[in-house]
Short mmCIF file of all heavy atoms in Angstrom, two decimals:
data_model
loop_
_atom_site.label_atom_id
_atom_site.label_comp_id
_atom_site.label_asym_id
_atom_site.label_seq_id
_atom_site.Cartn_x
_atom_site.Cartn_y
_atom_site.Cartn_z
N VAL A 54 0.50 27.97 -18.29
CA VAL A 54 0.65 27.50 -19.70
C VAL A 54 1.98 27.92 -20.18
O VAL A 54 2.72 27.07 -20.82
CB VAL A 54 -0.58 27.96 -20.54
CG1 VAL A 54 -0.34 27.50 -21.96
CG2 VAL A 54 -1.87 27.33 -20.04
N TRP A 55 2.25 29.22 -20.00
CA TRP A 55 3.60 29.76 -20.48
C TRP A 55 4.84 29.00 -19.86
O TRP A 55 5.72 28.53 -20.53
CB TRP A 55 3.66 31.21 -20.32
CG TRP A 55 2.80 31.97 -21.34
CD1 TRP A 55 1.55 32.37 -21.20
CD2 TRP A 55 3.39 32.48 -22.58
NE1 TRP A 55 1.14 32.95 -22.30
CE2 TRP A 55 2.17 33.08 -23.13
CE3 TRP A 55 4.49 32.49 -23.21
CZ2 TRP A 55 2.33 33.72 -24.42
CZ3 TRP A 55 4.61 33.07 -24.47
CH2 TRP A 55 3.50 33.59 -25.02
N ASP A 56 4.69 28.77 -18.52
CA ASP A 56 5.71 28.11 -17.86
C ASP A 56 5.75 26.67 -18.32
O ASP A 56 6.93 26.10 -18.52
CB ASP A 56 5.45 28.12 -16.35
CG ASP A 56 5.54 29.53 -15.76
OD1 ASP A 56 6.11 30.49 -16.47
OD2 ASP A 56 4.97 29.67 -14.58
N PHE A 57 4.66 26.06 -18.52
CA PHE A 57 4.66 24.60 -19.07
C PHE A 57 5.32 24.53 -20.44
O PHE A 57 6.13 23.68 -20.77
CB PHE A 57 3.18 24.16 -19.10
CG PHE A 57 2.93 22.95 -19.92
CD1 PHE A 57 3.27 21.72 -19.32
CD2 PHE A 57 2.43 23.05 -21.15
CE1 PHE A 57 3.08 20.51 -20.13
CE2 PHE A 57 2.21 21.92 -21.99
CZ PHE A 57 2.52 20.67 -21.41
N MET A 58 5.03 25.43 -21.28
CA MET A 58 5.55 25.50 -22.66
C MET A 58 7.03 25.72 -22.65
O MET A 58 7.79 25.24 -23.50
CB MET A 58 4.81 26.48 -23.48
CG MET A 58 3.45 25.96 -24.00
SD MET A 58 3.44 24.53 -24.94
CE MET A 58 3.96 25.25 -26.55
N VAL A 59 7.64 26.51 -21.72
CA VAL A 59 9.02 26.74 -21.67
C VAL A 59 9.75 25.37 -21.57
O VAL A 59 10.75 25.18 -22.17
CB VAL A 59 9.37 27.61 -20.45
CG1 VAL A 59 10.90 27.52 -20.08
CG2 VAL A 59 8.95 29.01 -20.74
N GLU A 60 9.21 24.52 -20.78
CA GLU A 60 9.87 23.20 -20.60
C GLU A 60 9.40 22.13 -21.53
O GLU A 60 10.07 21.09 -21.71
CB GLU A 60 9.52 22.68 -19.14
CG GLU A 60 10.05 23.61 -18.03
CD GLU A 60 11.50 23.66 -18.12
OE1 GLU A 60 12.22 22.77 -18.42
OE2 GLU A 60 12.07 24.88 -17.88
N ASN A 61 8.21 22.27 -22.16
CA ASN A 61 7.62 21.24 -23.00
C ASN A 61 7.29 21.46 -24.46
O ASN A 61 6.93 20.60 -25.24
CB ASN A 61 6.31 20.69 -22.35
CG ASN A 61 6.47 20.15 -21.02
OD1 ASN A 61 6.83 19.03 -20.93
ND2 ASN A 61 6.30 20.94 -19.94
N ALA A 62 7.69 22.68 -24.93
CA ALA A 62 7.39 23.11 -26.22
C ALA A 62 7.96 22.23 -27.26
O ALA A 62 7.37 22.03 -28.42
CB ALA A 62 7.74 24.57 -26.57
N SER A 63 9.05 21.60 -27.02
CA SER A 63 9.68 20.72 -28.07
C SER A 63 8.93 19.54 -28.32
O SER A 63 9.06 18.95 -29.45
CB SER A 63 11.09 20.26 -27.54
OG SER A 63 10.94 19.48 -26.44
N ASN A 64 7.97 19.04 -27.60
CA ASN A 64 7.07 17.98 -27.77
C ASN A 64 5.74 18.40 -28.29
O ASN A 64 4.92 17.58 -28.59
CB ASN A 64 6.92 17.04 -26.48
CG ASN A 64 8.23 16.27 -26.29
OD1 ASN A 64 8.76 15.83 -27.19
ND2 ASN A 64 8.64 16.17 -25.01
N CYS A 65 5.39 19.70 -28.33
CA CYS A 65 4.11 20.19 -28.69
C CYS A 65 3.97 20.21 -30.22
O CYS A 65 4.68 20.77 -30.92
CB CYS A 65 3.92 21.57 -28.23
SG CYS A 65 2.27 22.18 -28.42
N GLN A 66 3.00 19.43 -30.69
CA GLN A 66 2.77 19.31 -32.11
C GLN A 66 1.85 20.39 -32.74
O GLN A 66 1.87 20.60 -33.83
CB GLN A 66 2.07 17.94 -32.40
CG GLN A 66 2.82 16.75 -31.92
CD GLN A 66 4.23 16.61 -32.51
OE1 GLN A 66 4.34 16.48 -33.72
NE2 GLN A 66 5.30 16.80 -31.72
N GLY A 67 1.16 21.01 -31.87
CA GLY A 67 0.24 22.15 -32.30
C GLY A 67 -0.61 22.64 -31.22
O GLY A 67 -0.82 22.01 -30.11
N ILE A 68 -1.37 23.70 -31.48
CA ILE A 68 -2.24 24.29 -30.53
C ILE A 68 -3.66 24.39 -31.01
O ILE A 68 -3.87 24.69 -32.19
CB ILE A 68 -1.77 25.72 -30.07
CG1 ILE A 68 -0.28 25.70 -29.54
CG2 ILE A 68 -2.70 26.48 -29.24
CD1 ILE A 68 0.30 27.17 -29.39
N ILE A 69 -4.56 24.07 -30.22
CA ILE A 69 -6.03 24.27 -30.52
C ILE A 69 -6.60 25.29 -29.47
O ILE A 69 -6.31 25.21 -28.39
CB ILE A 69 -6.85 22.90 -30.42
CG1 ILE A 69 -6.26 21.93 -31.52
CG2 ILE A 69 -8.28 23.15 -30.55
CD1 ILE A 69 -6.82 20.50 -31.39
N ALA A 70 -7.27 26.31 -30.04
CA ALA A 70 -7.67 27.40 -29.23
C ALA A 70 -9.15 27.65 -29.11
O ALA A 70 -9.88 27.61 -30.14
CB ALA A 70 -6.91 28.70 -29.69
N SER A 71 -9.53 28.01 -27.98
CA SER A 71 -10.89 28.48 -27.63
C SER A 71 -10.99 30.01 -27.61
O SER A 71 -9.97 30.59 -27.01
CB SER A 71 -11.52 27.77 -26.41
OG SER A 71 -12.67 28.39 -26.11
N GLY A 72 -11.88 30.60 -28.20
CA GLY A 72 -12.04 32.08 -28.09
C GLY A 72 -13.37 32.56 -28.28
O GLY A 72 -14.39 31.72 -28.35
#
Side-chain angles (χ1 to χ4, degrees):
V54 175
W55 283 87
D56 294 345
F57 167 77
M58 286 296 284
V59 165
E60 299 298 324
N61 295 279
S63 63
N64 287 318
C65 187
Q66 304 299 296
I68 300 170
I69 296 173
S71 172

